[in-house]
Amino acid sequence: MSDSFFSYSKVLRLKRIRADFAVEVLLAERLGELEINPYFTYLNTLVDLVGTGVGESRTLFDETLEWVEKEAMPNYDHGLNGIFDRRFSYEPKHRVKGLGLIQFEEIVIDVVRLLTDAPSINLSKREINVSGIEQVHAALKHQIPEINIDNVYVTSFVIEPGGRRITQSRRLAEDVFVHFQHNEIPYYHGEGVGVFSIAYSSREAHLHPQLTIKDISDLVIEIAPQFLI
């Protein structure tokens, strides 16, 4: 794993949360470098070595999470398994060129070891219990008392030929609260989201002077355990 991201203390913090979130974070770091989305890339498995029929197709996220939950290591078969960008396809044109089967197997093994080595992650299906946005606001403020979090906006956008088109802009506390209400733990990453000091702006001049996407992701990792039951 990346030494710059996965310090021992950070892995320990991930283990205090949920397996699905921890797997998302670890895969995003590893596969993000390859510009591969684990939710839209698939491990496809042939029915047998004779035909071309695909019997199983799983996202890389689901595949990795299952091995973590089983606390076991994969051993893929090059004759039956492959990485593709289309579900239930084994056509060469759909095979992912930036990620080989052996490389993915090594990534899964790394993730399983990180999360199951003592102290291992809690594998129970814990839910988020949040009564109101005030709880989230207070938890965030406790972590960064020197920053006015009411002026921190998480803004999502898509890049089009004419520039950035904003799809959503919320105050940080509101955005985290909305995710928590849906029993989701947000992990902010990628090029389509930023932290700004002005709502509905994606201008570089309006980037928040103190907080980055990595900072707010770390904040969520810090506060999430107190909302899990």
Side-chain angles (χ1 to χ4, degrees), residues 74-130:
N75 183 19
Y76 297 120
D77 186 326
H78 276 272
L80 294 173
N81 303 120
I83 309 294
F84 296 84
D85 60 14
R86 180 169 295 187
R87 191 182 292 273
F88 287 101
S89 173
Y90 223 83
E91 295 185 32
K93 65 181 180 180
H94 296 144
R95 190 179 290 272
V96 173
K97 296 180 175 59
L99 179 67
L101 187 63
I102 292 178
Q103 185 180 6
F104 176 63
E105 181 177 285
E106 291 173 348
I107 290 172
V108 176
I109 290 172
D110 282 346
V111 171
V112 172
R113 284 177 175 163
L114 275 174
L115 298 181
T116 60
D117 282 353
S120 62
I121 193 168
N122 186 338
L123 293 174
S124 61
K125 307 290 187 180
R126 293 184 293 168
E127 295 189 352
I128 297 171
N129 180 29
V130 58

Side-chain angles (χ1 to χ4, degrees), residues 53-66:
V54 176
E56 186 176 35
S57 184
R58 298 166 57 83
T59 68
L60 301 190
F61 170 80
D62 288 337
E63 178 70 14
T64 306
L65 179 60
E66 181 171 300

Side-chain angles (χ1 to χ4, degrees), residues 193-212:
V193 62
V195 186
F196 297 87
S197 55
I198 295 179
Y200 289 96
S201 173
S202 62
R203 294 176 56 188
E204 296 292 326
H206 295 155
L207 283 169
H208 197 278
Q210 295 165 282
L211 296 175
T212 66

Side-chain angles (χ1 to χ4, degrees), residues 142-196:
H142 179 74
Q143 294 294 324
I144 46 173
E146 72 282 4
I147 294 176
N148 182 356
I149 62 171
D150 291 328
N151 291 334
V152 178
Y153 296 90
V154 180
T155 299
S156 301
F157 50 84
V158 293
I159 300 175
E160 298 180 336
R164 294 175 175 177
R165 178 172 61 84
I166 295 172
T167 58
Q168 180 176 277
S169 187
R170 294 188 184 125
R171 285 189 171 93
L172 174 59
E174 178 190 4
D175 197 71
V176 174
F177 175 65
V178 169
H179 281 90
F180 280 5
Q181 281 187 306
H182 292 88
N183 199 34
E184 300 170 349
I185 304 172
Y187 177 57
Y188 303 101
H189 65 284
E191 297 181 353
V193 62
V195 186
F196 297 87

